[in-house]
């Protein structure tokens, strides 16, 4: 049986694994994300040691994802400056001509949840991770959505909550965007502290739920997903997910008449089934896709 290499490339850590084609894991390692000079050699060595037959990568971005682009698989304008314009996929392959596919970490995650997790059987689903940043992957009509570049739904613009003491948020690019208002650092800025130190019943989580519900409403109205999956550290907060569901229904105002939403919101806006490895599992699936497409 052939081997598939998978990399989930994150801003703080790199998770690498090698699987048999049927999904059985052979080995997994985690490395801290330093500069390419420090981090790339052990990653290349890991995949070389296993002689992988295909490679799948889910990475932080933004990324060049047009297969015809000369810099396909490069990280482009990231704020992680050491990785800016870095040809990640090309360097990982090191000249080896094996099937390979790269996508955003969140697209990898939504793919995994659709094939193996909380959105199994769905042809339309969205995965959003809410942690130190906010990113979302979109699966639309049975495939990952890229569009012109790829969706950046973490930066959608929102209406301020009337009781928000910091209604412009903390994003350096936008006044009042989702990430600037609802990621971990935004919560911290709102309470002049660290979001992780707050009790579950702190009133700031009502504001948080309001923003995440606005996001859900916007996703429902634009993409009409069959499932919305919310992951990431912030969603680990007890009681937040039920508040988001309730607020989503309130903000929708009964406009979208689908029983999946109006009667079954608890199974419509859900936690990921594969957390925290959705991205890694998705990277394996990307590698498997690349292998199958090369065969066809
Ligand atoms: Zn923004």
């Amino acid at each position: 049986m052939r081997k598939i290499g998978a990399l989930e490339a994150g801003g703080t850590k790199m998770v690498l694994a090698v699987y048999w084609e049927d999904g059985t894991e052979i080995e997994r390692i985690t490395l801290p994300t330093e500069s390419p000079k420090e981090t790339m050699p052990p990653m290349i060595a890991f995949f070389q040691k296993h002689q992988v037959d295909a490679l799948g990568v889910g990475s932080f971005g933004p990324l060049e994802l047009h297969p015809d682009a000369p810099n396909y698989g490069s990280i482009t304008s990231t704020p992680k400056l050491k990785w800016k314009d870095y040809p990640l996929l090309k360097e990982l392959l090191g000249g080896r001509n094996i099937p390979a596919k790269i996508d955003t970490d969140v697209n990898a995650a939504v793919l995994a949840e659709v094939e193996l997790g909380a959105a199994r059987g769905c042809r339309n689903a969205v995965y959003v991770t809410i942690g130190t940043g906010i990113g979302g992957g979109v699966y639309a009509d049975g495939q990952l959505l890229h569009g012109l570049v790829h969706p950046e739904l973490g930066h959608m613009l929102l209406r301020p909550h009337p009781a928000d003491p910091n209604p412009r948020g903390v994003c350096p690019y936008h006044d009042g965007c989702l990430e600037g208002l609802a990621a971990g650092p935004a919560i911290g800025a709102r309470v002049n502290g660290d979001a992780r130190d707050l009790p579950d019943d702190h009133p700031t989580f009502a504001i948080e739920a309001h923003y995440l519900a606005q996001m859900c409403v916007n996703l429902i109205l634009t993409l009409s997903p069959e499932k919305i999956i919310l992951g990431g550290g912030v969603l680990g907060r007890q009681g937040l997910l039920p508040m988001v569901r309730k607020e989503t229904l309130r903000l929708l105002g009964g406009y979208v008449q689908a029983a999946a939403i109006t009667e079954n919101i608890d199974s419509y806006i859900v936690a990921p089934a594969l957390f925290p490895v959705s991205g890694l599992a998705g990277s394996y699936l990307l590698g498997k896709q690349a292998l199958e497409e090369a065969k066809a």
Side-chain angles (χ1 to χ4, degrees):
M1 210 177 343
R2 288 171 300 181
K3 289 180 185 173
I4 296 171
L7 164 64
E8 184 183 10
T12 54
K13 65 177 183 191
M14 301 284 186
V15 186
L16 299 80
V18 174
Y19 298 88
W20 292 113
E21 209 173 337
D22 68 0
T24 311
E25 190 174 307
I26 300 168
E27 191 186 353
R28 185 194 305 196
I29 60 167
T30 300
L31 301 166
T33 304
E34 315 279 1
S35 68
K37 202 169 148 238
E38 293 156 297
T39 310
M40 289 301 290
M43 295 208 291
I44 293 166
F46 177 76
F47 290 127
Q48 267 175 0
K49 179 182 86 175
H50 284 283
Q51 289 286 306
V52 295
D53 299 289
L55 185 65
V57 180
S59 175
F60 66 86
L63 302 168
E64 175 56 64
L65 294 176
H66 284 278
D68 298 334
N71 60 336
Y72 173 69
S74 287
I75 296 167
T76 58
S77 60
T78 176
K80 300 169 185 71
L81 292 176
K82 287 173 182 167
W83 294 86
K84 191 173 180 300
D85 297 319
Y86 187 76
L88 178 64
L89 185 63
K90 188 170 160 234
E91 292 295 326
L92 279 171
L93 290 170
R96 281 192 72 202
N97 187 23
I98 56 170
K101 225 176 201 187
I102 185 167
D103 215 313
T104 59
D105 44 5
V106 280
N107 260 0
V110 75
L111 178 65
E113 292 292 337
V114 163
E115 294 216 6
L116 308 167
R120 224 172 310 175
C122 292
R123 286 182 53 81
N124 296 276
V126 181
Y127 176 103
V128 186
T129 176
I130 300 113
T132 51
I134 297 182
V138 180
Y139 192 78
D141 277 343
Q143 51 187 325
L144 294 171
L145 183 69
H146 298 109
L148 179 66
V149 183
H150 46 73
E152 285 281 0
L153 59 86
H155 294 268
M156 67 170 71
L157 303 182
L158 302 180
R159 273 195 313 223
H161 186 286
D164 187 349
N166 195 19
R168 301 180 68 169
V170 298
C171 176
Y173 293 92
H174 312 115
D175 195 348
C177 80
L178 172 60
E179 180 171 293
L181 289 170
I187 304 172
R190 187 168 296 124
V191 298
N192 293 315
D194 190 320
R196 289 166 294 194
D197 298 337
L198 300 173
D200 286 338
D201 61 355
H202 193 283
T204 201
F205 290 113
I207 296 175
E208 177 72 9
H210 177 73
Y211 288 138
L212 296 179
Q214 284 193 52
M215 170 193 78
C216 289
V217 167
N218 291 339
L219 293 173
I220 290 166
L221 297 177
T222 52
L223 295 163
S224 203
E226 295 157 62
K227 199 77 85 175
I228 297 176
I229 302 160
L230 303 183
V234 172
L235 260 293
R237 179 64 66 169
Q238 200 67 33
L240 185 55
L241 198 52
M243 286 165 80
V244 173
R245 291 176 181 135
K246 198 172 159 204
E247 184 70 354
T248 299
L249 285 177
R250 189 183 74 80
L251 291 174
L252 272 173
Y255 182 74
V256 178
Q257 285 297 317
I261 298 172
T262 55
E263 289 168 31
N264 296 300
I265 192 85
D266 289 354
S267 52
Y268 182 76
I269 302 175
V270 297
L274 303 167
F275 188 77
V277 297
S278 316
L280 184 66
S283 302
Y284 150 73
L285 291 169
L286 288 169
K288 198 174 164 199
Q289 276 184 5
L291 199 58
E292 280 159 11
E293 284 166 18
K295 233 190 293 178

